[in-house]
């Protein structure tokens, strides 16, 4: 069924108006399926309804993403569905559909480790999304108000604001729980038991179980998935919240103040002694009742002013409690800029500045909620110095340097003197002559956008 002629394309490719085109064609692809969800008798048929599958298809196309083990890219999905739609739906209704194993990839983590991701095929991403769209509204009312990860209209910013409110209420200690390889260690039987509390449709349960057992492909070798919900699948975030909702319910029953974002859980208490007691009790529950492993090396009782949560920590000032990026987040972004602006990269300056802009737009949009005016001012100055160093290196020989310095308004005698200097690149980058020639205005004309101003604009909107 999945034999598909390869196009030779790999990675990501964007198509103009793909969403509009895709919607019209997907609408006709699933035409004829039931579209009145009020008249659908069970969850399984709601999942396979035309409107739900159309929405799932569009979401997969919007997300783009890499191909799974079958090599099919997101923009090949529609032609495939137009040809194999009936066969796919028949297999699903007869309970014969078998999900493909996920492709295991590893991406670097800021702490130097590796995060394991699973990439399902685009067909399985669409079907998982279709399941998620129907199940999410059913489970959403059962979730805790203190859970923020992978939920509609909730974000990491909401989570850290809630944490700030607890500190302001006098909960000055945090029980910072770290679950070791959480997504890879979820117990399937326990998870399905929790799902069955809300879902009785056997065909839906059977399909979810099949996704859990679909397996993993690592370097062309198949491995069984006897536990875990691999990160990367469209259904995994919902399943992870269902599983850890048991923890949330226990914490609420005991009256604890807590914030959970996916597997990051912080419990706020008023004393260190209470923190150690809570740590012991909750660790026992997680390991005994949920079959998870608590990483005792990373878990700790400490101050929210120092402990990192979602990349942030709190800051106590005379004007009240503030949110700030953790020092590790600052160090990480500066290291990334070092790699981007490394003077021997041999890339066009325009490319370098685009990479800087892309990195800082994403970083400021996330961390801009935090107080860091001084850091952004210093980073901005340091980054402009790195750019001046990069440009100076690009000019290479003395003749080119002298010509460019004169063009930028430097006196001929000074231009000759500095173009023949033996001082190092980093020293020259902070020199009077480069500040007079490669001014802030000149850097802006070449495409550099002031990151301190970007931060001020974003931060002022919080």
């Amino acid at each position: 069924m999945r034999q598909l002629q390869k196009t030779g394309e790999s990675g990501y490719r964007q198509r103009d108006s793909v969403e509009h085109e895709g919607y019209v064609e997907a609408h006709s692809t699933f035409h004829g399926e039931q579209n009145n969800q009020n008249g659908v008798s069970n969850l399984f048929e709601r999942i396979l309804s035309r409107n739900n599958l159309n929405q799932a298809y569009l979401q997969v196309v919007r997300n783009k993403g890499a191909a799974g083990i079958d090599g099919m890219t997101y923009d090949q999905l529609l032609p495939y569905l137009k040809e194999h739609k009936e066969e796919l739906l028949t297999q699903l209704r007869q309970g014969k559909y078998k999900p493909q194993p996920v492709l295991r990839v590893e991406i670097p983590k800021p702490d130097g480790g590796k995060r394991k991701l699973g990439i399902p095929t685009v067909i399985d991403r669409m079907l998982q999304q279709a399941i998620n769209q129907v199940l999410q509204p059913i489970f959403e009312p059962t979730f805790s108000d203190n859970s923020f990860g992978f939920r509609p209209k909730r974000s990491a910013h909401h989570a850290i604001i809630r944490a700030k409110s607890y500190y302001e209420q006098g909960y000055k200690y945090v029980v910072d729980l770290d679950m070791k390889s959480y997504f890879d260690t979820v117990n399937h039987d326990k998870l399905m038991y929790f799902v069955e509390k809300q879902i009785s449709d056997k065909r839906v349960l059977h399909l979810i179980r099949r996704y859990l057992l679909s397996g993993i492909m690592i370097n062309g070798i198949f491995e069984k998935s006897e536990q875990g919900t691999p990160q990367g699948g469209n259904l995994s975030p919902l399943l992870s919240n269902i599983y850890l909702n048991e923890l949330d319910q226990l914490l609420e029953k005991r009256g604890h103040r807590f914030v959970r974002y996916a597997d990051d859980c912080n419990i706020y208490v008023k004393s260190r002694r209470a923190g150690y007691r809570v740590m012991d009790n909750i660790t026992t529950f997680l390991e005994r009742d949920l079959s998870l492993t608590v990483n005792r090396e990373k878990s700790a009782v400490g101050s929210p002013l120092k402990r990192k949560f979602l990349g942030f920590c709190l800051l106590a000032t005379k004007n009240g409690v503030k949110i700030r990026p953790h020092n590790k987040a600052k160090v990480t972004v500066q290291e990334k800029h070092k790699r981007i602006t490394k003077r021997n990269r041999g890339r066009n300056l325009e490319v370098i500045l685009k990479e800087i802009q892309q990195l800082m737009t994403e970083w400021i949009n996330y961390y801009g909620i935090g107080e860091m005016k001084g850091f952004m001012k210093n980073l901005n100055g340091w980054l402009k110095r790195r750019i001046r160093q990069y440009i100076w290196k690009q000019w290479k020989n003395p003749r080119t340097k002298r010509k460019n310095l004169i063009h930028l308004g430097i006196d001929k005698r000074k231009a000759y003197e500095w173009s023949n200097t033996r001082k190092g690149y980093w020293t020259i980058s902070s020199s009077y002559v480069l500040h007079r020639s490669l001014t802030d205005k000149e850097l802006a004309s070449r495409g550099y956008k002031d990151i301190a101003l970007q931060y001020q604009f974003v931060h002022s909107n919080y």
Side-chain angles (χ1 to χ4, degrees):
M1 172 178 164
R2 297 195 182 187
Q3 295 299 317
L4 187 72
Q5 185 176 358
K6 300 291 171 76
T7 64
E9 299 177 355
S10 62
Y12 300 78
R13 184 169 71 86
Q14 188 170 1
R15 182 176 62 194
D16 292 337
S17 304
V18 67
E19 180 174 329
H20 178 71
E21 279 186 60
Y23 182 81
V24 174
E25 295 185 50
H27 182 86
S28 63
T29 298
F30 293 109
H31 184 69
E33 300 301 318
Q34 292 176 305
N35 62 353
N36 182 3
Q37 291 195 8
N38 293 328
V40 175
S41 60
N42 56 52
L43 284 180
F44 193 75
E45 288 302 328
R46 283 178 58 189
I47 290 170
L48 298 188
S49 68
R50 175 173 59 87
N51 285 346
N52 191 55
L53 288 173
N54 286 342
Q55 291 173 19
Y57 163 81
L58 288 173
Q59 189 60 49
V60 169
V61 171
R62 277 193 292 265
N63 292 344
K64 298 181 174 64
I69 64 168
D70 61 356
M72 187 189 300
T73 57
Y74 69 90
D75 51 356
Q76 294 173 317
L77 178 58
L78 185 59
Y80 177 87
L81 292 173
K82 292 170 78 171
E83 183 176 352
H84 297 285
K85 151 192 102 151
E86 294 299 336
E87 185 180 355
L88 176 62
L89 292 174
T90 298
Q91 284 195 359
L92 285 163
R93 289 196 169 101
Q94 291 179 353
K96 296 180 180 179
Y97 179 76
K98 186 177 180 181
Q100 296 276 66
V102 299
L103 179 64
R104 170 58 57 83
V105 296
E106 294 183 344
I107 60 173
K109 295 169 67 175
D111 61 5
K114 298 285 186 179
R115 175 173 283 112
K116 297 178 180 179
L117 295 181
I119 303 177
T121 65
V122 288
I123 296 171
D124 286 324
R125 293 210 292 269
M126 183 189 74
L127 293 176
Q128 287 190 37
Q129 179 64 27
I131 297 170
N132 182 76
Q133 289 169 178
V134 172
L135 266 55
Q136 180 86 38
I138 295 173
F139 283 96
E140 187 63 25
T142 71
F143 291 154
S144 168
D145 185 50
N146 294 304
S147 167
F148 293 89
F150 312 124
R151 296 182 61 189
K153 299 180 180 179
R154 287 170 174 254
S155 68
H157 289 167
H158 294 121
I160 193 64
I161 290 171
R162 178 69 58 85
K164 172 177 171 286
S165 72
Y166 289 146
Y167 189 89
E168 291 171 332
Q169 293 169 29
Y171 295 86
K172 301 296 179 67
Y173 293 88
V174 61
V175 180
D176 187 359
L177 288 167
D178 185 89
M179 296 172 223
K180 190 174 183 178
S181 303
Y182 166 70
F183 284 91
D184 293 326
T185 57
V186 169
N187 184 284
H188 289 171
D189 291 334
K190 291 180 185 291
L191 173 59
M192 292 308 301
Y193 172 74
F194 301 146
V195 173
E196 288 174 21
K197 287 183 179 181
Q198 299 293 328
I199 306 299
S200 59
D201 191 318
K202 299 298 182 184
R203 289 186 292 178
V204 175
L205 297 172
H206 177 73
L207 186 55
I208 293 173
R209 173 75 78 165
R210 282 203 160 185
Y211 272 114
L212 293 174
L213 298 173
S214 61
I216 303 167
M217 195 69 74
I218 305 175
N219 297 323
I221 300 174
F222 174 80
E223 287 189 10
K224 292 182 179 180
S225 50
E226 297 177 346
Q227 61 180 9
T229 58
Q231 286 180 275
N234 298 53
L235 192 55
S236 291
L238 175 61
L239 295 179
S240 72
N241 271 336
I242 292 172
Y243 201 77
L244 286 179
N245 190 47
E246 301 300 310
L247 169 63
D248 297 345
Q249 299 306 317
L250 175 71
L251 293 173
E252 288 190 345
K253 184 179 179 180
R254 295 183 179 181
H256 288 303
R257 272 70 173 174
F258 70 97
V259 180
R260 184 176 65 79
Y261 190 96
D263 58 328
D264 288 326
C265 184
N266 277 5
I267 307 167
Y268 296 85
V269 295
K270 291 190 173 182
S271 70
R272 190 177 294 274
R273 183 178 179 182
Y276 287 126
R277 183 176 65 250
V278 171
M279 173 74 80
D280 290 341
N281 291 338
I282 300 306
T283 296
T284 299
F285 171 78
L286 288 171
E287 296 185 337
R288 182 191 63 200
D289 294 68
L290 294 184
S291 302
L292 298 172
T293 302
V294 174
N295 189 330
R296 286 166 171 77
E297 292 181 0
K298 293 186 177 180
S299 299
V301 177
S303 169
L305 304 179
K306 297 180 180 179
R307 299 294 301 179
K308 180 166 66 74
F309 181 51
L310 303 176
F312 296 96
C313 58
L314 301 182
L315 175 67
T317 72
K318 62 181 180 180
N319 296 319
V321 181
K322 307 291 184 181
I323 297 168
R324 68 177 177 88
H326 193 272
N327 287 336
K328 286 185 178 179
K330 297 176 182 178
V331 170
T332 298
V333 75
Q334 192 158 358
E335 287 177 347
K336 288 181 178 180
H337 280 305
K338 275 187 178 179
R339 291 193 290 270
I340 291 174
T341 59
K342 192 175 181 180
R343 66 174 185 257
N344 60 359
R345 280 191 70 193
R347 301 289 182 89
N348 185 282
L349 180 64
E350 183 180 356
V351 173
I352 300 297
L353 295 179
K354 281 184 177 180
E355 289 181 8
I356 292 172
Q357 180 61 27
Q358 181 180 2
L359 170 60
M360 289 313 298
T361 298
E362 295 174 357
W363 199 86
I364 292 174
N365 284 342
Y366 184 75
Y367 288 104
I369 191 175
E371 298 290 330
M372 52 174 176
K373 184 178 179 180
F375 170 74
M376 290 304 298
K377 180 181 178 181
N378 292 336
L379 181 64
N380 191 45
W382 173 83
L383 191 52
K384 286 187 288 188
R385 184 177 176 183
R386 296 281 298 184
I387 295 169
R388 290 186 178 103
Q389 174 187 235
Y390 194 87
I391 295 172
W392 185 252
K393 176 69 165 61
Q394 279 193 321
W395 288 350
K396 294 183 179 179
N397 61 63
R399 179 180 296 179
T400 303
K401 291 174 182 177
R402 183 170 65 254
K403 177 181 176 183
N404 286 328
L405 287 174
I406 294 171
H407 176 73
L408 292 170
I410 302 299
D411 176 78
K412 289 184 179 180
R413 185 177 62 82
K414 281 288 184 184
Y416 179 83
E417 177 185 336
W418 281 95
S419 64
N420 289 282
T421 183
R422 293 187 178 183
K423 291 182 179 180
Y425 291 106
W426 186 239
T427 302
I428 294 294
S429 65
S430 65
S431 67
Y432 168 81
V433 71
L434 279 197
H435 276 269
R436 281 291 304 273
S437 55
L438 295 174
T439 62
D440 290 353
K441 186 176 180 180
E442 175 64 22
L443 294 182
S445 71
R446 296 181 181 225
Y448 179 72
K449 295 185 178 180
D450 191 294
I451 61 173
L453 293 178
Q454 280 184 266
Y455 162 70
Q456 291 177 23
F457 176 76
V458 171
H459 185 70
S460 65
N461 291 321
Y462 284 109

